Amino acid sequence: MSTLLEVTDLSVAYGKIMAVKGISFNVDKGEIVTLIGSNGAGKSTTLRTISGLLAPKSGTITFKGEKINGLQGHDVVKKGITQSPEGRRIFPRMTVSENLDLGAFLRNDKSEIAADYDRVLELFPRLRERLTQKAGTMSGGEQQMLAVARAMMGRPELLLLDEPSMGLAPVLVELIFDTIVKIREQGTTILLVEQNALAALDVADRAYVLESGSVKMSGNATELASNDEVTKAYLGG
Amino acid sequence: MTQAAAVEKVAVRQYKGTPGQIRRRRIELTAGLVLGALVMVWIVANLINSPTQFAQVFILGFRNGLLYALIALGYTLVYGIIELINFAHGDLFMLGTLFSSYFITVWFGQETSNLAGWLTFFAALIAAMAFCGGLNILIERFAYRRLRRAPKIAPLITAVGVSFILQFIGIKWNGSTPRNWPKVLPQSEFTVLGVHIAWNTVILLLVAAPLLLLLSWVVTKTRQGKAMRATAQDQDAARLMGIDVNRTISFTFAIGGALAGAAGLLYQQTTGTTNYNLGFQLGLIAFTSAVLGGIGNLNGAVLGAVLIGIIQGLNDGLPIGLGQKWSQTVVFTILILIMVFKPAGLLGKSTTEKV
């Protein structure tokens, strides 16, 4: 399988505080890869850096063989990487359908956009009932669906999902993870960041365990899920 | 009645706030009604006293309101997108009046209302909009952009500084005393049902109204407008959609500046005077309008500006009233009342946001 995203020796700092300390990982085409770890491990910082919202201190990020670190956020989207950010960050005073339109902001192919619009509404039928509702008035779970759907509207090659299960009821968590699997089946590669390690390892092919800014372990998701150390630290076993 | 039933009966009644809140609301309502009644009596008395004069000052007030609206939109656009009260905006308008004066009279030598004068007027409209729009882009780029992630007070003070810079450019350019300029708009007036209406009022309406409609179209219907609204709500999320946030903010400053440029020309051509401190005077009134309508809300800015214009016009021009010397007092009393009783403004944001 070909490597889609390659992160090499990446370090990111907030002022003098190093949040990510030289991590390396890669995502192959068609995979679901997850970064797991506790609060403050540097997972979200890594995703924000890939998306161009933060500039790395050192290291490189290549996407399809092309260096993308140092690009502005909007240029990263042009390359084919979209993100559903932590805390959803939907546009609260816009309707659901306006939010979805913005997800396709850089695209001009009207008929394809319409097709994707139907596709994401099929993935999240609940949103169809809410198209004209102001996004800020929806429940947390609905907002999360919208955030993922909005990121899908960019028709990315690589979809970054930051904590999609945060603050959701168990039944919704299950729905979100089922949808993640469906999205991959439709051909989108996914890099997933999660605190809910159990659910993440369940859907992922490979995983990297982050701890205070470094990769502590990595490997096949099913193997990691049965690893004693991982179980003890992250799976509450 | 059992105690449980009594409790239930109380619970069924809708909760209307603490006794303090209820009392406060009652006082506000009474005060509002009394004030409203006084204003109505005043308006009706004047209307009966001299209907034509009333119509005349009303139209004049409405005209000034549109002029304020063009400036107020610049405040509200910028506040809407980066939550900065751009104190330099009034002074940008002032530079617009000076640019227009020089463009028409000094550079193109037009002094009378003829075809050449007219063509120069329209050329000046485009040029003044480009000048102020461009200048506003530069101001954002060099004075505000680097402070975007700084505490809010830093860009605010910078804006005050930029305001001074622009004022001193104004003094250098205009001199420190008011200057009179020839007008190329027709100075005649016509009469409808005994009401005198100046042609330049009509022209101001014909220039300002399409600009306001154009702005509304840009913001609600175009791609750039979509980018502006998204950036206003969440900059990082906008970036993740592929929106170039810096360019969008520049664009917003350009539009706000262009409207101030148009206002500058219209003001200069209707009053025929310029002064370096115009930005402070009209800027404050325009800012008050934006706050009255709900800062950040475009319709609100126009509504607030037209209301302030009309109120000011009625107060200044009606025979029974406080008169012009109280003009500013009336305007800023309105500002204070709004800040106290309706801080979000008339059309302020009301959508509840879940997090």
Side-chain angles (χ1 to χ4, degrees), chain B residues 24-337:
Chain B
R24 188 190 144 118
R25 260 205 307 272
R26 211 169 277 158
I27 294 170
E28 281 175 20
L29 190 67
T30 320
L33 286 175
V34 169
L35 198 68
L38 280 174
V39 170
M40 280 313 285
V41 168
W42 172 58
I43 286 176
V44 169
N46 276 297
L47 205 52
I48 294 168
N49 187 37
S50 54
T52 52
Q53 193 174 357
F54 184 89
Q56 223 155 289
V57 295
F58 187 89
I59 291 168
L60 219 58
F62 182 73
R63 181 199 78 178
N64 288 342
L66 282 187
L67 197 66
Y68 298 155
L70 291 175
I71 309 172
L73 281 166
Y75 282 101
T76 229
L77 278 165
V78 165
Y79 185 85
I81 204 148
I82 55 172
E83 293 190 7
L84 165 72
I85 293 171
N86 182 11
F87 282 116
H89 188 70
D91 303 292
L92 189 73
F93 155 77
M94 176 273 294
L95 290 182
T97 64
L98 290 180
F99 178 88
S100 305
S101 309
Y102 271 80
F103 187 92
I104 293 174
T105 312
V106 181
W107 301 331
F108 284 84
Q110 297 303 317
E111 301 195 342
T112 45
S113 172
N114 51 25
L115 185 66
W118 270 85
L119 290 176
T120 318
F121 172 80
F122 283 108
L125 179 65
I126 294 163
M129 288 176 77
F131 171 75
C132 288
L135 192 57
N136 219 19
I137 291 179
L138 291 177
I139 291 170
E140 189 274 330
R141 179 67 191 81
F142 293 107
Y144 304 147
R145 185 172 294 181
R146 294 187 69 87
L147 297 171
R148 211 175 282 156
R149 283 173 197 265
K152 291 239 163 76
I153 193 79
L156 199 71
I157 295 298
T158 307
V160 174
V162 174
S163 165
F164 279 122
I165 293 173
L166 299 187
Q167 271 191 42
F168 280 99
I169 293 173
I171 293 181
K172 204 77 187 138
W173 200 356
N174 178 76
S176 55
T177 49
R179 254 172 101 167
N180 292 314
W181 301 88
K183 303 177 210 170
V184 297
L185 291 184
Q187 295 311 302
S188 54
E189 52 183 37
F190 61 98
T191 312
V192 183
L193 301 169
V195 181
H196 302 293
I197 300 169
W199 275 108
N200 62 29
T201 298
V202 177
I203 291 163
L204 194 148
L205 277 167
L206 288 179
V207 174
L211 284 178
L212 297 178
L213 291 175
L214 185 68
L215 175 74
S216 152
W217 177 77
V218 166
V219 172
T220 54
K221 294 277 184 288
T222 67
R223 219 172 109 80
Q224 269 301 327
K226 248 198 246 175
M228 280 167 71
R229 284 182 296 142
T231 304
Q233 292 187 29
D234 190 329
Q235 283 189 22
D236 275 351
R239 276 193 188 91
L240 291 176
M241 301 300 107
I243 292 168
D244 186 338
V245 167
N246 281 337
R247 216 183 62 189
T248 304
I249 292 173
S250 287
F251 180 76
T252 309
F253 272 82
I255 297 189
L259 293 176
L265 171 72
L266 292 171
Y267 178 89
Q268 188 265 347
Q269 278 299 309
T270 43
T271 63
T273 59
T274 57
N275 196 358
Y276 78 95
N277 64 7
L278 271 181
F280 182 68
Q281 296 172 13
L282 268 83
L284 262 185
I285 292 176
F287 174 64
T288 305
S289 310
V291 173
L292 174 63
I295 190 133
N297 183 311
L298 300 186
N299 296 329
V302 177
L303 176 71
V306 169
L307 279 178
I308 295 259
I310 290 173
I311 292 167
Q312 204 185 18
L314 295 180
N315 176 69
D316 293 4
L318 289 179
I320 313 167
L322 295 171
Q324 202 162 5
K325 62 182 180 222
W326 288 90
S327 184
Q328 305 263 326
T329 313
V330 169
V331 170
F332 295 113
T333 305
I334 294 172
L335 175 66
I336 292 169
L337 290 176

Side-chain angles (χ1 to χ4, degrees), chain A residues 205-225:
Chain A
D205 302 306
R206 289 188 302 116
Y208 294 83
V209 181
L210 262 58
E211 201 176 282
S212 38
S214 308
V215 175
K216 204 185 165 209
M217 267 183 286
S218 64
N220 183 296
T222 19
E223 280 167 23
L224 278 178

Side-chain angles (χ1 to χ4, degrees), chain A residues 48 51 53 73-74 77 83 85 89 91-94 98 102-103 105-106 136-138 143 150, chain B residues 223 226-227 229-230 232-234 236-244 349 351-355:
Chain A
R48 288 173 63 79
S51 273
L53 300 181
H74 57 269
V77 180
Q83 182 180 159
R89 308 291 283 270
F91 299 106
R93 295 189 298 281
M94 291 191 198
E98 283 176 307
L102 276 164
F105 184 78
L106 288 178
T137 63
M138 298 199 301
Q143 292 190 11
R150 188 182 61 175
Chain B
R223 219 172 109 80
K226 248 198 246 175
R229 284 182 296 142
Q233 292 187 29
D234 190 329
D236 275 351
R239 276 193 188 91
L240 291 176
M241 301 300 107
I243 292 168
D244 186 338
K349 290 165 194 163
T351 320
T352 46
E353 286 164 31
K354 279 188 187 166
V355 274

